[in-house]
Amino acid sequence: MSAEIKRHNEDKELPKEFIDMDTVTDNGRTVGTQKEEVQSVSAGQERVLRPVIRLPERNAICINPEIRDTSVFVKLRPAWEDFRSYLTAKGRKRFEVYICTMAERNYALEMWRLLDPKAT
């Protein structure tokens, strides 16, 4: 239980660090942002590049939209990558995947982009 609390406290600090410096410290190493393109919600909108930090060994993603106060820390479920690979494996029948949220459509699209960055 103490390891879980320690990890939670470390995770709590990541968004603050990201907002302040556009980097996070993970196990003693500094990880910087990568610019990822956000798909337009409506046609004719110009493309948006959003700073993102992916921490695969922590199953975590930090996103920093243009409004720094709305930075987000996303904790992925364990084995998400294995499950995603299963869903998209060649020869498999297609699956319909939905994101259920009480947030706005833009949030759901952003979560889907984070979960499936190659849109497979």
Side-chain angles (χ1 to χ4, degrees):
M1 184 69 162
S2 63
E4 188 89 13
I5 291 170
K6 181 180 182 249
R7 177 63 96 185
H8 171 73
N9 289 333
E10 289 172 356
D11 287 349
K12 246 181 16 181
E13 294 303 313
L14 288 175
K16 293 176 193 170
E17 194 176 336
F18 189 26
I19 289 169
D20 293 340
M21 299 180 290
D22 283 336
T23 63
V24 296
T25 305
D26 184 35
N27 292 329
R29 69 184 175 99
T30 301
V31 182
T33 60
Q34 300 292 320
K35 299 288 185 180
E36 293 186 8
E37 186 172 351
V38 178
Q39 291 181 352
S40 299
V41 177
S42 58
Q45 240 182 0
E46 64 181 67
R47 74 183 201 146
V48 175
L49 294 176
R50 179 155 303 155
V52 175
I53 295 178
R54 292 182 181 271
L55 303 167
E57 49 293 326
R58 276 186 136 165
N59 287 332
I61 303 170
C62 294
I63 59 172
N64 190 352
E66 291 175 3
I67 303 167
R68 297 176 88 64
D69 291 340
T70 59
S71 294
V72 178
F73 177 74
V74 178
K75 192 79 169 172
L76 301 175
R77 291 190 175 267
W80 163 250
E81 284 301 320
D82 294 336
F83 182 60
R84 190 179 61 74
S85 296
Y86 170 80
L87 291 175
T88 59
K90 293 196 186 264
R92 295 220 190 277
K93 68 178 190 173
R94 297 258 178 201
F95 293 89
E96 287 187 29
V97 181
Y98 297 89
I99 290 184
C100 182
T101 178
M102 292 191 66
E104 293 181 8
R105 183 172 190 268
N106 288 350
Y107 176 82
L109 292 172
E110 182 69 8
M111 288 303 110
W112 187 246
R113 186 188 67 76
L114 291 172
L115 292 170
D116 187 22
K118 296 178 183 166
T120 55

